Amino acid sequence: MSSDFPWLTALIVLPLVGAAVLWLLPAGARRHTRTVALAFTLAEVALGVGALLSFDTGTAGEHQLLETHQWIPSLGVSYAVGVDGVGLALILMSVVLVPLVVLAAWREQGSEGDPSDRLRHFLALALVLEAFIVAVFAARDVFFFYVLFEAMLIPVYFMIGAFGGAQRRYAAIKFLIYSLTGGLIMLVAVIALYLQGPGGPDGFLTDNLTNLAIDPTLEKWLFAGFFLAFAIKAPMFPVHTWLPDAAQNATPGTSVLLVGVLDKVGTFGMLTLCLPLFPAASRWAAPFVIVLAIVSIIYGALLAIGQKDLMRLIAYTSVSHFGFIVLGIFAFTSTSVAGSSFYMVNHGLSTGALFLIAGFLVARRGSQDIADFGGLQKVVPVMAGTFLVAGLSALSLPGLSTFVSEFLVLVGTFARHPAAAIVATLGVVLAAIYVLWTYQRIFTGPVRDGLESMPDMRTRERWAVGPLLVAMLVLGFVPGPALDLVRPPASVTLEQVGVTDLPASAAEGSNP
């Protein structure tokens, strides 16, 4: 396929068109809301495949499918998009998850006989969010990235606040306050960075802001402004507390997009903006960030073990998993950085599956309290099996995709920071505890009263979860093609940071 076609712009525009179509559907056609939304998301998947076929994996470390157009020349802002292997992998993960969310939400917010306006608005917001997500993973202009970084808050705020649980407004406002605080601090850093650059109509282009001679003290402050915004989004300890409330009160589909996709913007920003724009400050901050990452790994896992609410439990597991991702990024080896990049994709698959299956369980039981379940392995064996596979992926069982990425993170980190890697390994042990204990409480033992007739997964629900399980297995046994996308950008990142790579077999740590 020709790379002359504007694949990235098409991937951004198509979901927006889909959202507009849903909002403009006449009353008589609103019974087709689900079908229209699914058709647009499947068309988006087809565009994603086209972008992949047009991408040269042999030069995955370079940005491709580039488009640059002046947007606000007087302010130096451009519409500039392009992807390297990591950006493309995250876009593909995102466009695959959205149609699965549509399938999972098929009967939410209204019955089959009620062509629900609530569901129509929910799906339209999901499509808007999809467009913003694709754009932010492709943005090559720092100000354009910032605009998208903040614009994503709008659909997510309404998806939580209008369609969630009992405390949805509290959760939505908390999410908004945290995110806006980080975003406003980042805006100050964006403007200050622009003033250090060459200026002109393309002054905010990422390429024009890389390799600047910035005062060391100022560079540290600019790094801190960007990093704080990304740490909140990721989320990392101690700025993570908005996530459990959001996951507990959002719909399962919203949680999939929020935790499985949107939060990756935080770690993606660390990798593609913090490190290349502020290399000296990144090296300076690395020891502190690694400590925070390890705390996130252990803290998130311990909190997950102690949770009684199923959705909060999954949210805390993500705090732990994001700790692994950040650890790999700031360990500064090509193996660990590639592992973190691959981890971002695999976490979206495993956590997306867990949230969807947990949503099916909660919808049937009418409760998120783990204590209200028990013995379901005998009643819903297919749901039990799929939950177990997704959970085993979360604890990085060999043969499933997350194992490959977590192994690369730990091996790569050990080459430079052996003590950090050893402590982080405790997170793997704790993951086995929270996953297997949760499975035991929900699916084993005697069947609790009222659960004897719970229906197993329906065909539509199997189609929503099945592709994620297949992807985990395929990427677990054949990770090569995905690693071919993320390895070259990892090497480029280390060059930009000015760090000498260490082989994964290195047993002695050395400071960058």
Side-chain angles (χ1 to χ4, degrees), residues 191-495:
I191 295 172
L193 176 63
Y194 170 78
L195 296 176
Q196 303 301 308
D202 297 322
F204 278 106
L205 286 180
T206 306
D207 292 340
N208 292 338
L209 295 175
T210 305
N211 299 320
L212 296 178
I214 305 177
D215 176 77
T217 301
L218 177 60
E219 182 179 349
K220 292 173 183 178
W221 280 109
L222 296 179
F223 171 88
F226 277 76
F227 181 80
L228 177 61
F230 296 145
I232 292 173
K233 187 75 73 179
M236 287 185 68
F237 173 89
V239 288
H240 67 285
T241 58
W242 62 268
L243 177 61
D245 292 319
Q248 181 180 10
N249 290 282
T251 66
T254 301
S255 295
V256 171
L257 297 179
L258 177 62
V259 183
V261 180
L262 186 66
D263 287 353
K264 303 301 187 307
V265 175
T267 47
F268 177 77
M270 294 178 193
L271 182 64
T272 61
L273 290 181
C274 282
L275 268 57
L277 294 179
F278 315 111
S282 297
R283 298 193 301 269
W284 164 78
F288 173 71
V289 176
I290 287 173
V291 170
L292 280 183
I294 293 173
V295 172
S296 294
I297 292 170
I298 307 303
Y299 172 86
L302 290 174
L303 267 290
I305 292 172
Q307 291 306 304
K308 298 179 180 179
D309 184 283
L310 181 56
M311 296 302 189
R312 290 182 73 90
L313 185 150
I314 299 173
Y316 276 114
T317 68
S318 294
V319 174
S320 182
H321 292 316
F322 274 103
F324 280 106
I325 297 172
V326 175
L327 174 64
I329 292 172
F330 282 87
F332 294 149
T333 69
S334 60
T335 301
S336 68
V337 174
S340 292
S341 302
F342 194 29
Y343 209 137
M344 286 190 262
V345 175
N346 292 326
H347 176 266
L349 301 177
S350 61
T351 302
L354 282 174
F355 270 122
L356 291 180
I357 299 167
F360 299 152
L361 287 168
V362 169
R364 287 161 167 76
R365 182 57 165 163
S367 170
Q368 296 180 183
D369 194 334
I370 296 174
D372 289 337
F373 297 88
L376 287 177
Q377 182 175 280
K378 306 170 186 176
V379 182
V380 287
V382 175
M383 194 176 298
T386 54
F387 186 93
L388 181 60
V389 173
L392 292 175
S393 179
L395 64 82
S396 300
L397 182 77
L400 296 171
S401 58
T402 311
F403 168 77
V404 179
S405 49
E406 194 163 291
F407 180 79
L408 291 174
V409 167
L410 291 174
V411 170
T413 301
F414 187 82
R416 196 179 293 279
H417 303 285
I422 292 170
V423 176
T425 304
L426 178 60
V428 180
V429 179
L430 296 175
I433 295 174
Y434 63 65
V435 168
L436 297 179
W437 191 34
T438 301
Y439 182 85
Q440 180 187 40
R441 287 183 287 171
I442 294 176
F443 293 103
T444 65
V447 180
R448 289 186 62 86
D449 293 340
L451 299 180
E452 300 85 355
S453 59
M454 177 181 285
D456 208 344
M457 291 181 72
R458 303 177 179 90
T459 300
R460 170 182 54 82
E461 294 169 335
R462 297 183 188 189
W463 274 106
V465 174
L468 298 178
L469 303 186
V470 171
M472 294 176 207
L473 289 167
V474 171
L475 293 177
F477 284 98
V478 192
L483 292 177
D484 288 341
L485 284 177
V486 299
R487 277 186 179 131
S491 299
V492 171
T493 297
L494 291 186
E495 292 176 6

